[in-house]
Structures are given as structure tokens and as C-alpha cells.
Amino acid sequence: MKLNSNLSERVQELAEKIHRPPEAILRDAIEQYMERKQPIGDGSEHPSGKPWPRRSPVGGIITPV
């Protein structure tokens, strides 16, 4: 896979700033992406793919506004 020049420059700048090779940054980014997109299947994710509703301490469901 080839990165466009803008993204490649940004990765290189970050690598120099944090003293890590660009490959390590790309590997970390891909691993984090895969963890988000491929759930383990431990039952913690809602079947629809959306997060489970939060419950308040008194038992009601808290919905985002």
C-alpha cells in the first residue's frame, strides 16, 4: 500500500518527533483500527453494532442527546 505524500509526510514528522520508526506508527494505527472494527465477540457489543445503552443509578436508560 502506498500513502499519499501528505499522509506520508505527517507520519514521518510524527515518527521523528516521538523517536519511533514510521513503520511502528503505521503498525500501531492498523492494530487500533482492527481492534475497533473486529470485536472479539465476547458479548460486550450490542448486536446492532451500536453501543449498549447506559443505565442511570436509579435504573432508567440514559440516551444521548
Side-chain angles (χ1 to χ4, degrees):
M1 176 178 74
K2 186 158 175 88
L3 302 176
N4 67 41
S5 61
N6 181 38
L7 186 55
S8 180
E9 289 173 14
R10 290 173 59 195
V11 170
Q12 186 64 40
E13 288 172 8
L14 178 60
E16 291 171 5
K17 184 176 181 179
I18 64 173
H19 308 290
R20 293 193 66 201
E23 294 80 12
I25 293 169
L26 295 173
R27 184 177 44 251
D28 290 349
I30 292 169
E31 286 176 1
Q32 290 176 20
Y33 178 86
M34 295 302 292
E35 287 174 6
R36 286 194 314 267
K37 296 296 182 179
Q38 289 184 330
I40 296 171
D42 60 1
S44 63
E45 187 167 60
H46 193 275
S48 69
K50 297 178 182 176
W52 286 97
R54 295 182 340 189
R55 297 201 176 269
S56 74
V58 293
I61 294 177
I62 301 171
T63 55
V65 179

